[in-house]
Amino acid sequence: QQPVQSPQAVILREGEDAVINCSSSKALYSVHWYRQKHGEAPVFLMILLKGGEQKGHEKISASFNEKKQQSSLYLTASQLSYSGTYFCGTARYSSASKIIFGSGTRLSIRP
Amino acid sequence: DSGVTQTPKHLITATGQRVTLRCSPRSGDLSVYWYQQSLDQGLQFLIQYYNGEERAKGNILERFSAQQFPDLHSELNLSSLELGDSALYFCASSVDAGTDTEAFFGQGTRLTVV
C-alpha cells in the first residue's frame, strides 16, 4: 500500500531540472508532496486531487495521472534551497483515510 | 514556524519505560496526525484524530496509544519501550479530516531508548 518513489536519490547541479515520480497500486483520491530538510519537519508543497484540482506552491508543478495512479513532481531550474528529501503521500479516500508516505527521494543540489 | 507545537523536543529513556509525547495543533485545526520516522527512513503513519475521535489508524503497535482532548491537543503514549522504538515522532495538524487539505508538521520529538 506504500507508494513507490523513484529515483531514490538524485544529484543535480544548480539550474538543472529534475522529475520525481510516485506510483501506487491502488486507486487514489489525493497525492501529497512534502519536502523535508535534514533535521527539520516536512513542509507542504502540493496536493493533487482526483479530478484534476491542485493546491499548493506556485513555483512547484506536478501532475497526477489517475488512470495509472502515478504522480510526478517537476523541479525546474533547481536552486540550492531545493535540496532535501521529497516525500509523496497518497490517500485512497477523501476523508477518514490514511495518508501513506513513500520512502522518499533525496535531492542534492551542487553549486 | 508551522504553528504546531510538540513537546518535549528530545527524550532519552530506558527500555521498558513509558513516555508521553504531546502535540498542540495550529489554532483552528481539528485534525491531528501522528507519524514515526526512524533514522533516514520514511514517515510511518500511526494514527489520526479529528475533533476528539479516532478517524484513521495505521500500523500502530498495541504498546502505543493516543488520544485527542477537548482542547484539541493530542498525546501519544508509548509503553514497554524497546530499542527499536527510537525514532523521530512527528505530529501534524490540518483544519479538517479530509485528505484534500494540507497538513502542518511540528518539529518532532526525538525519542532515544537506551
Side-chain angles (χ1 to χ4, degrees), chain B residues 15-81:
Chain B
T15 54
Q17 294 299 304
R18 171 190 170 94
V19 297
T20 297
L21 313 184
R22 181 187 171 101
C23 170
S24 294
R26 289 190 325 152
S27 176
D29 283 359
L30 300 178
S31 191
V32 170
Y33 308 80
W34 285 97
Y35 286 89
Q36 179 192 56
Q37 186 174 43
S38 300
L39 187 62
D40 291 332
Q41 298 296 311
L43 296 156
Q44 300 298 318
F45 173 74
L46 295 178
I47 200 164
Q48 178 198 8
Y49 280 85
Y50 174 73
N51 205 20
E53 294 188 1
E54 182 183 308
R55 291 301 295 265
K57 203 167 185 177
N59 295 324
I60 187 168
L61 299 172
E62 286 189 8
R63 300 183 286 109
F64 295 2
S65 65
Q67 55 183 325
Q68 185 180 28
F69 295 86
D71 67 353
L72 300 177
H73 91 272
S74 178
E75 292 181 357
L76 179 67
N77 300 296
L78 314 175
S79 62
S80 302
L81 285 168

Coordinates of all heavy atoms in Angstrom, one line a residue, chain B residues 15-81:
Chain B
T15 N 14.8 1.1 28.2 CA 13.9 0.1 27.8 C 12.9 -0.3 28.9 O 13.3 -0.2 30.1 CB 14.6 -1.1 27.3 OG1 15.5 -1.6 28.4 CG2 15.5 -0.9 26.1
G16 N 11.7 -0.5 28.5 CA 10.7 -0.9 29.4 C 9.9 0.2 30.0 O 8.9 0.0 30.6
Q17 N 10.4 1.4 29.8 CA 9.7 2.6 30.4 C 8.5 3.0 29.5 O 8.3 2.5 28.4 CB 10.7 3.7 30.5 CG 11.8 3.5 31.5 CD 11.3 3.3 32.9 OE1 10.5 4.1 33.5 NE2 11.6 2.1 33.5
R18 N 7.8 4.0 30.0 CA 6.6 4.6 29.3 C 6.9 6.1 29.2 O 7.4 6.7 30.1 CB 5.4 4.3 30.1 CG 4.1 5.0 29.7 CD 3.0 4.9 30.7 NE 1.9 5.7 30.4 CZ 0.8 5.3 29.7 NH1 0.7 4.1 29.2 NH2 -0.2 6.2 29.4
V19 N 6.5 6.6 28.0 CA 6.6 8.1 27.8 C 5.4 8.6 27.2 O 4.6 7.9 26.6 CB 7.9 8.4 26.9 CG1 9.2 8.0 27.6 CG2 7.7 7.8 25.6
T20 N 5.2 9.9 27.3 CA 4.1 10.6 26.7 C 4.6 11.8 25.9 O 5.3 12.6 26.4 CB 3.1 11.1 27.8 OG1 2.5 10.0 28.5 CG2 1.9 11.9 27.1
L21 N 4.2 11.8 24.6 CA 4.6 12.9 23.7 C 3.3 13.8 23.5 O 2.2 13.3 23.4 CB 5.0 12.3 22.4 CG 6.1 11.2 22.4 CD1 6.5 10.8 21.0 CD2 7.2 11.5 23.2
R22 N 3.6 15.1 23.5 CA 2.4 16.0 23.5 C 2.5 16.8 22.2 O 3.6 17.2 21.7 CB 2.4 16.9 24.7 CG 1.3 17.9 24.8 CD 1.5 18.9 25.9 NE 0.5 19.9 25.8 CZ -0.6 20.0 26.6 NH1 -0.9 19.1 27.5 NH2 -1.4 21.0 26.5
C23 N 1.3 17.1 21.7 CA 1.2 17.9 20.5 C 0.0 18.9 20.6 O -1.1 18.5 21.0 CB 0.9 17.0 19.3 SG 0.4 17.8 17.8
S24 N 0.3 20.2 20.3 CA -0.7 21.2 20.3 C -0.8 21.6 18.8 O 0.1 22.1 18.2 CB -0.3 22.4 21.1 OG -0.3 22.1 22.5
P25 N -2.0 21.4 18.2 CA -2.2 21.7 16.8 C -2.2 23.2 16.6 O -2.3 24.0 17.5 CB -3.5 21.1 16.5 CG -4.3 21.1 17.8 CD -3.2 20.9 18.8
R26 N -2.2 23.6 15.3 CA -2.4 25.0 15.0 C -3.7 25.5 15.4 O -4.7 24.7 15.5 CB -2.3 25.2 13.5 CG -1.0 25.1 12.8 CD -1.0 25.5 11.4 NE -2.3 25.2 10.7 CZ -2.8 25.9 9.7 NH1 -2.1 27.0 9.3 NH2 -3.9 25.6 9.2
S27 N -3.8 26.7 15.7 CA -5.1 27.3 16.2 C -6.2 27.1 15.1 O -5.9 27.4 13.9 CB -5.0 28.8 16.4 OG -6.2 29.4 16.8
G28 N -7.3 26.5 15.4 CA -8.3 26.3 14.4 C -8.3 24.9 13.8 O -9.3 24.5 13.1
D29 N -7.2 24.2 13.9 CA -7.1 22.9 13.3 C -7.8 21.8 14.2 O -7.5 21.8 15.4 CB -5.7 22.5 13.0 CG -5.1 23.2 11.8 OD1 -5.8 24.0 11.2 OD2 -3.9 23.0 11.5
L30 N -8.6 21.0 13.6 CA -9.3 20.0 14.3 C -8.7 18.6 14.2 O -9.1 17.7 15.0 CB -10.8 19.9 13.9 CG -11.6 21.2 14.0 CD1 -13.0 21.0 13.5 CD2 -11.6 21.7 15.5
S31 N -7.9 18.4 13.2 CA -7.4 17.1 12.9 C -5.9 17.0 13.3 O -5.1 17.9 13.1 CB -7.5 16.8 11.4 OG -7.3 15.4 11.2
V32 N -5.5 15.9 13.9 CA -4.1 15.6 14.4 C -3.7 14.3 13.8 O -4.4 13.3 13.9 CB -4.0 15.7 15.9 CG1 -2.6 15.2 16.3 CG2 -4.2 17.1 16.4
Y33 N -2.5 14.2 13.3 CA -1.9 13.0 12.8 C -0.6 12.8 13.6 O 0.1 13.7 13.9 CB -1.5 13.1 11.3 CG -2.6 13.6 10.4 CD1 -2.9 14.9 10.3 CD2 -3.3 12.7 9.6 CE1 -3.9 15.4 9.4 CE2 -4.3 13.1 8.7 CZ -4.6 14.5 8.6 OH -5.6 14.9 7.8
W34 N -0.3 11.5 13.8 CA 1.0 11.1 14.4 C 1.7 10.2 13.4 O 1.2 9.3 12.8 CB 0.8 10.3 15.7 CG 0.4 11.2 16.8 CD1 -0.9 11.4 17.3 CD2 1.3 12.0 17.7 NE1 -0.8 12.3 18.4 CE2 0.5 12.6 18.6 CE3 2.7 12.2 17.7 CZ2 1.0 13.5 19.6 CZ3 3.2 13.0 18.7 CH2 2.4 13.6 19.6
Y35 N 3.0 10.6 13.2 CA 3.9 9.8 12.3 C 5.2 9.4 13.1 O 5.7 10.2 13.9 CB 4.3 10.6 11.1 CG 3.2 10.7 10.1 CD1 2.3 11.8 10.1 CD2 3.0 9.8 9.0 CE1 1.3 11.9 9.2 CE2 2.0 9.9 8.1 CZ 1.1 11.0 8.2 OH 0.1 11.1 7.3
Q36 N 5.7 8.3 12.7 CA 7.0 7.8 13.2 C 8.1 7.8 12.1 O 7.8 7.3 11.0 CB 6.9 6.4 13.8 CG 8.2 5.9 14.4 CD 8.1 4.4 14.7 OE1 7.7 3.6 13.8 NE2 8.4 4.0 15.9
Q37 N 9.2 8.4 12.4 CA 10.3 8.4 11.3 C 11.5 7.9 12.0 O 12.2 8.5 12.8 CB 10.5 9.8 10.8 CG 11.5 9.8 9.6 CD 11.6 11.2 9.0 OE1 11.7 12.2 9.7 NE2 11.6 11.2 7.6
S38 N 11.9 6.7 11.6 CA 13.2 6.1 12.1 C 14.3 6.7 11.3 O 14.1 7.3 10.2 CB 13.1 4.6 11.9 OG 12.1 4.1 12.7
L39 N 15.5 6.5 11.7 CA 16.7 7.1 11.1 C 16.7 7.0 9.6 O 16.8 5.9 9.1 CB 18.0 6.5 11.8 CG 19.3 7.2 11.4 CD1 19.3 8.6 11.9 CD2 20.4 6.4 11.9
D40 N 16.7 8.1 8.9 CA 16.8 8.2 7.5 C 15.7 7.3 6.8 O 16.0 6.8 5.7 CB 18.2 7.7 7.0 CG 19.3 8.8 7.4 OD1 18.9 9.9 7.5 OD2 20.4 8.4 7.6
Q41 N 14.6 7.2 7.4 CA 13.5 6.4 6.8 C 12.4 7.3 6.5 O 12.4 8.5 6.8 CB 13.1 5.3 7.8 CG 14.1 4.3 8.1 CD 14.5 3.5 6.9 OE1 13.7 3.0 6.1 NE2 15.8 3.4 6.6
G42 N 11.4 6.7 5.9 CA 10.2 7.5 5.6 C 9.3 7.8 6.8 O 9.6 7.4 7.9
L43 N 8.1 8.4 6.5 CA 7.2 8.7 7.6 C 6.1 7.6 7.7 O 5.4 7.3 6.7 CB 6.5 10.0 7.2 CG 7.4 11.2 7.1 CD1 6.8 12.3 6.3 CD2 7.6 11.8 8.5
Q44 N 6.1 6.9 8.8 CA 5.2 5.9 9.0 C 3.9 6.4 9.7 O 4.0 6.9 10.9 CB 5.8 4.7 9.8 CG 7.0 4.1 9.2 CD 6.7 3.4 7.9 OE1 5.7 2.8 7.7 NE2 7.6 3.6 6.9
F45 N 2.8 6.3 9.1 CA 1.6 6.8 9.7 C 1.2 5.9 10.9 O 1.1 4.7 10.8 CB 0.4 6.8 8.6 CG -0.9 7.1 9.2 CD1 -1.2 8.4 9.5 CD2 -1.9 6.1 9.3 CE1 -2.5 8.7 10.0 CE2 -3.1 6.4 9.8 CZ -3.4 7.7 10.2
L46 N 0.9 6.6 12.0 CA 0.4 5.9 13.2 C -1.1 6.0 13.4 O -1.8 5.0 13.4 CB 1.2 6.4 14.4 CG 2.7 6.2 14.4 CD1 3.3 6.8 15.7 CD2 3.0 4.7 14.3
I47 N -1.6 7.2 13.5 CA -3.0 7.4 13.9 C -3.4 8.8 13.6 O -2.6 9.7 13.5 CB -3.2 7.0 15.3 CG1 -4.7 6.7 15.6 CG2 -2.6 8.1 16.3 CD1 -4.9 5.9 16.9
Q48 N -4.7 9.0 13.3 CA -5.3 10.3 13.1 C -6.5 10.5 14.0 O -7.3 9.6 14.2 CB -5.8 10.4 11.6 CG -6.4 11.8 11.4 CD -7.3 11.8 10.1 OE1 -7.5 10.8 9.5 NE2 -7.7 13.0 9.7
Y49 N -6.6 11.7 14.6 CA -7.8 12.1 15.3 C -8.4 13.3 14.7 O -7.7 14.1 14.2 CB -7.4 12.4 16.8 CG -7.2 11.1 17.6 CD1 -6.0 10.4 17.6 CD2 -8.3 10.6 18.4 CE1 -5.9 9.3 18.4 CE2 -8.2 9.5 19.1 CZ -7.0 8.8 19.1 OH -6.8 7.7 19.8
Y50 N -9.7 13.4 14.8 CA -10.4 14.5 14.4 C -11.4 14.9 15.5 O -12.3 14.1 15.8 CB -11.1 14.3 13.0 CG -12.0 15.4 12.6 CD1 -11.5 16.6 12.1 CD2 -13.4 15.3 12.7 CE1 -12.3 17.6 11.7 CE2 -14.2 16.4 12.3 CZ -13.6 17.5 11.8 OH -14.4 18.6 11.4
N51 N -11.3 16.1 16.0 CA -12.2 16.7 17.0 C -12.5 15.7 18.1 O -13.6 15.5 18.5 CB -13.5 17.0 16.3 CG -14.2 18.1 17.1 OD1 -13.7 18.8 17.9 ND2 -15.5 18.2 16.9
G52 N -11.4 15.0 18.5 CA -11.5 14.1 19.7 C -11.8 12.7 19.4 O -11.7 11.8 20.3
E53 N -12.1 12.4 18.1 CA -12.4 11.0 17.8 C -11.3 10.4 16.8 O -10.8 11.1 15.9 CB -13.8 10.9 17.1 CG -14.9 11.3 18.0 CD -16.3 11.0 17.4 OE1 -16.3 10.5 16.3 OE2 -17.3 11.3 18.1
E54 N -11.0 9.1 17.0 CA -10.1 8.5 16.1 C -10.7 8.3 14.7 O -11.9 7.9 14.6 CB -9.8 7.1 16.7 CG -8.8 6.3 15.9 CD -8.6 4.9 16.4 OE1 -8.3 4.8 17.6 OE2 -8.7 3.9 15.6
R55 N -10.0 8.7 13.7 CA -10.5 8.7 12.3 C -9.8 7.7 11.4 O -10.4 7.1 10.5 CB -10.4 10.1 11.7 CG -11.4 11.1 12.2 CD -12.8 10.6 12.1 NE -13.3 10.5 10.8 CZ -13.9 11.5 10.1 NH1 -14.1 12.7 10.7 NH2 -14.3 11.4 8.9
A56 N -8.5 7.5 11.6 CA -7.8 6.5 10.8 C -6.7 6.0 11.6 O -6.1 6.6 12.5 CB -7.3 7.2 9.5
K57 N -6.3 4.7 11.3 CA -5.3 4.0 12.1 C -4.3 3.3 11.2 O -4.7 2.7 10.2 CB -6.0 3.0 13.0 CG -5.2 2.6 14.2 CD -6.1 1.8 15.2 CE -5.4 1.5 16.5 NZ -6.2 0.8 17.5
G58 N -3.1 3.5 11.5 CA -2.0 2.8 10.7 C -1.5 1.6 11.4 O -2.2 1.0 12.3
N59 N -0.3 1.3 11.2 CA 0.3 0.1 11.8 C 0.9 0.5 13.2 O 2.0 0.3 13.5 CB 1.4 -0.5 11.0 CG 0.9 -1.0 9.7 OD1 -0.2 -1.6 9.6 ND2 1.6 -0.9 8.6
I60 N 0.0 1.0 14.0 CA 0.4 1.4 15.4 C 0.4 0.2 16.3 O -0.5 -0.6 16.3 CB -0.6 2.5 15.9 CG1 0.0 3.0 17.2 CG2 -2.0 2.0 16.0 CD1 -0.8 4.3 17.7
L61 N 1.5 0.1 17.0 CA 1.7 -1.1 17.9 C 0.7 -1.0 19.1 O 0.3 0.1 19.5 CB 3.2 -1.1 18.5 CG 4.3 -1.2 17.4 CD1 5.6 -1.0 18.1 CD2 4.2 -2.6 16.7
E62 N 0.4 -2.2 19.6 CA -0.5 -2.2 20.7 C 0.1 -1.5 22.0 O -0.7 -1.0 22.8 CB -0.9 -3.7 21.1 CG -1.8 -4.3 20.1 CD -2.3 -5.7 20.6 OE1 -2.0 -6.0 21.7 OE2 -2.9 -6.4 19.8
R63 N 1.4 -1.4 22.0 CA 2.1 -0.7 23.1 C 1.9 0.8 23.0 O 2.2 1.5 24.0 CB 3.6 -1.1 23.2 CG 3.9 -2.5 23.3 CD 5.4 -2.8 23.4 NE 6.0 -2.7 22.1 CZ 6.9 -1.7 21.8 NH1 7.1 -0.7 22.7 NH2 7.5 -1.6 20.6
F64 N 1.4 1.2 21.9 CA 1.3 2.7 21.7 C -0.2 3.0 21.7 O -1.1 2.3 21.2 CB 1.8 3.1 20.3 CG 3.3 2.9 20.1 CD1 4.1 2.4 21.1 CD2 3.9 3.3 18.9 CE1 5.5 2.2 20.9 CE2 5.3 3.2 18.7 CZ 6.1 2.6 19.7
S65 N -0.5 4.2 22.3 CA -1.9 4.6 22.2 C -1.9 6.1 22.1 O -0.9 6.8 22.4 CB -2.6 4.2 23.5 OG -2.1 4.8 24.6
A66 N -3.0 6.7 21.7 CA -3.1 8.1 21.6 C -4.5 8.6 21.9 O -5.4 7.8 22.0 CB -2.7 8.5 20.1
Q67 N -4.6 9.9 22.2 CA -5.9 10.5 22.3 C -5.8 11.9 22.0 O -4.8 12.5 22.0 CB -6.4 10.2 23.8 CG -5.5 10.7 24.9 CD -6.1 10.4 26.2 OE1 -7.3 10.4 26.5 NE2 -5.2 10.1 27.2
Q68 N -7.0 12.5 21.7 CA -7.1 13.9 21.5 C -8.1 14.5 22.5 O -9.2 14.0 22.6 CB -7.6 14.2 20.1 CG -7.6 15.7 19.7 CD -8.0 16.0 18.3 OE1 -8.8 15.3 17.7 NE2 -7.5 17.1 17.8
F69 N -7.7 15.5 23.2 CA -8.5 16.0 24.3 C -9.5 17.1 23.8 O -9.4 17.6 22.7 CB -7.6 16.6 25.3 CG -6.7 15.5 26.0 CD1 -5.5 15.1 25.4 CD2 -7.1 14.9 27.2 CE1 -4.8 14.1 26.0 CE2 -6.4 13.9 27.7 CZ -5.2 13.5 27.2
P70 N -10.4 17.5 24.7 CA -11.4 18.5 24.3 C -10.8 19.9 23.8 O -11.3 20.6 23.0 CB -12.2 18.7 25.5 CG -12.2 17.4 26.2 CD -10.8 16.9 25.9
D71 N -9.6 20.2 24.3 CA -9.0 21.4 23.9 C -8.2 21.2 22.6 O -7.4 22.1 22.1 CB -8.1 22.0 24.9 CG -6.8 21.1 25.2 OD1 -6.8 20.0 24.7 OD2 -6.0 21.6 26.0
L72 N -8.3 20.0 22.0 CA -7.7 19.6 20.7 C -6.2 19.2 20.8 O -5.7 18.7 19.8 CB -8.0 20.6 19.6 CG -9.4 20.9 19.4 CD1 -9.6 22.0 18.3 CD2 -10.2 19.6 18.9
H73 N -5.6 19.3 21.9 CA -4.2 18.9 21.9 C -4.2 17.3 22.0 O -5.3 16.7 22.3 CB -3.4 19.4 23.1 CG -3.5 18.7 24.4 ND1 -4.4 18.8 25.4 CD2 -2.6 17.7 24.9 CE1 -4.2 18.0 26.4 NE2 -3.1 17.3 26.1
S74 N -3.2 16.7 21.6 CA -3.1 15.3 21.5 C -1.9 14.7 22.2 O -0.9 15.4 22.3 CB -3.1 14.8 20.0 OG -3.0 13.4 19.9
E75 N -2.0 13.5 22.7 CA -0.9 12.9 23.3 C -0.7 11.5 22.7 O -1.7 10.8 22.5 CB -1.1 12.8 24.8 CG -1.1 14.1 25.5 CD -1.3 14.0 27.0 OE1 -1.5 12.9 27.6 OE2 -1.2 15.1 27.7
L76 N 0.5 11.1 22.6 CA 0.9 9.8 22.1 C 1.6 9.1 23.2 O 2.7 9.6 23.7 CB 1.8 9.9 20.9 CG 2.3 8.6 20.3 CD1 1.1 7.8 19.7 CD2 3.3 8.8 19.2
N77 N 1.1 8.0 23.7 CA 1.7 7.3 24.8 C 2.4 6.0 24.3 O 1.8 5.2 23.5 CB 0.6 6.8 25.8 CG -0.1 8.0 26.4 OD1 0.5 8.8 27.1 ND2 -1.4 8.2 26.1
L78 N 3.7 5.9 24.7 CA 4.5 4.8 24.2 C 4.9 4.0 25.5 O 5.5 4.6 26.4 CB 5.7 5.2 23.5 CG 5.5 6.3 22.4 CD1 6.8 6.8 21.8 CD2 4.6 5.8 21.3
S79 N 4.6 2.7 25.6 CA 4.9 2.0 26.8 C 5.7 0.8 26.4 O 5.9 0.4 25.3 CB 3.6 1.5 27.5 OG 2.8 0.7 26.6
S80 N 6.3 0.2 27.5 CA 7.2 -1.0 27.4 C 8.2 -0.8 26.2 O 8.3 -1.6 25.3 CB 6.3 -2.3 27.1 OG 5.4 -2.5 28.1
L81 N 8.8 0.4 26.3 CA 9.7 0.8 25.2 C 10.8 -0.2 24.9 O 11.4 -0.8 25.8 CB 10.3 2.2 25.5 CG 9.3 3.3 25.4 CD1 9.8 4.6 26.0 CD2 8.9 3.5 23.9

